[in-house]
Amino acid sequence: MKIGIDARIFKYKEYSGIPKAIFEVLKRWINNTENEYYLISNTEVCFPLELPSNWKIVIVPAFTGSGTLWQIFRLANIIRRLGIDVFWGTNFMLPAKKVRNCKYLLTIHDLAFEVMPEVVSWKTNLILRIFCKRACKQADYIHAVSESTANDIVRQYHIDKSKVKTVYWGAPVSEHISNGVDDIGKRFFFGIGNY
């Protein structure tokens, strides 16, 4: 199977927030040899791991400086040309056209721009208001990072709940335990983030 991944989020060497969460997923997939993986972007991809031979970085520059326009209008042709079977929109958006025989997975991190528009810039708000709802309707599967986000997607965009799955982000616990803590044997859930 050929899996395409929107890698535009990896344009900076330092990761935080969304890029870090997506990186943690890909880090766990890196040794899977059953599939071919394509990290697709319009700019340089800063990915700190050595990629095995079944992973490719595909960079197709944008005609304009806008990654949004590139994603909306050019990405479908790239997906078609590469013969991608599943495309993962890692950050709220998908190409404007649905590619035949390609399933679209879309990750929605939150709908803060809809429910609290003051927390994002006017430009981001405009882009997401125009394209996120359309992407949700077009997606075959939607990955929400919380039940609250899943409920917002269903309520705000009138999306069938069966299409939306909640998968919580995680990170290696060892990176976040302070010195002196020997055992965290009890189950817990803690989440914090920013946008």
Side-chain angles (χ1 to χ4, degrees):
M1 180 182 310
K2 291 184 175 185
I3 300 173
I5 301 160
D6 177 5
R8 292 180 314 130
I9 58 171
F10 298 124
K11 63 183 175 180
Y12 302 111
K13 289 184 187 322
E14 297 292 323
Y15 298 165
S16 66
I18 293 168
K20 181 152 177 72
I22 301 298
F23 173 73
E24 290 298 328
V25 172
L26 299 183
K27 190 165 77 171
R28 283 154 181 77
W29 291 358
I30 204 94
N31 293 320
N32 179 317
T33 58
E34 295 176 26
N35 301 308
E36 292 178 43
Y37 296 91
Y38 295 82
L39 298 172
I40 305 169
S41 181
N42 65 320
T43 62
E44 177 186 4
V45 174
C46 299
F47 200 75
L49 299 178
E50 187 173 327
L51 296 174
S53 61
N54 62 319
W55 286 70
K56 309 279 187 281
I57 295 177
V58 178
I59 299 172
V60 179
F63 292 132
T64 69
S66 171
T68 301
L69 292 177
W70 174 89
Q71 183 172 24
I72 299 302
F73 299 111
R74 290 199 68 197
L75 186 53
N77 290 330
I78 298 164
I79 291 169
R80 186 178 302 106
R81 189 183 77 229
L82 294 171
I84 299 296
D85 299 302
V86 176
F87 179 77
W88 179 15
T90 56
N91 199 19
F92 298 96
M93 294 174 29
L94 292 168
K97 288 188 216 171
K98 183 79 163 92
V99 176
R100 192 171 55 190
N101 299 322
C102 179
K103 298 286 186 186
Y104 282 177
L105 166 64
L106 177 66
T107 296
I108 302 294
H109 305 277
D110 61 47
L111 289 185
F113 63 94
E114 292 279 12
V115 296
M116 298 182 301
E118 66 276 5
V119 302
V120 297
S121 72
W122 69 268
K123 181 180 174 185
T124 299
N125 193 309
L126 178 65
I127 289 168
L128 292 177
R129 281 183 178 265
I130 291 170
F131 297 113
C132 185
K133 181 177 182 177
R134 179 184 190 151
C136 285
K137 292 193 178 293
Q138 188 181 39
D140 296 289
Y141 309 99
I142 300 171
H143 160 222
V145 302
S146 70
E147 279 300 319
S148 177
T149 298
N151 293 334
D152 287 344
I153 293 165
V154 170
R155 185 179 61 254
Q156 292 283 125
Y157 296 154
H158 309 287
I159 300 296
D160 185 335
K161 185 144 181 74
S162 66
K163 189 167 136 170
V164 183
K165 302 293 181 219
T166 301
V167 180
Y168 300 104
W169 287 133
V173 174
S174 61
E175 290 181 20
H176 304 286
I177 297 176
S178 63
N179 291 336
V181 177
D182 297 319
D183 183 21
I184 57 166
K186 296 183 179 159
R187 295 183 65 160
F188 67 93
F189 176 83
F190 175 74
I192 189 166
N194 67 345
Y195 182 65

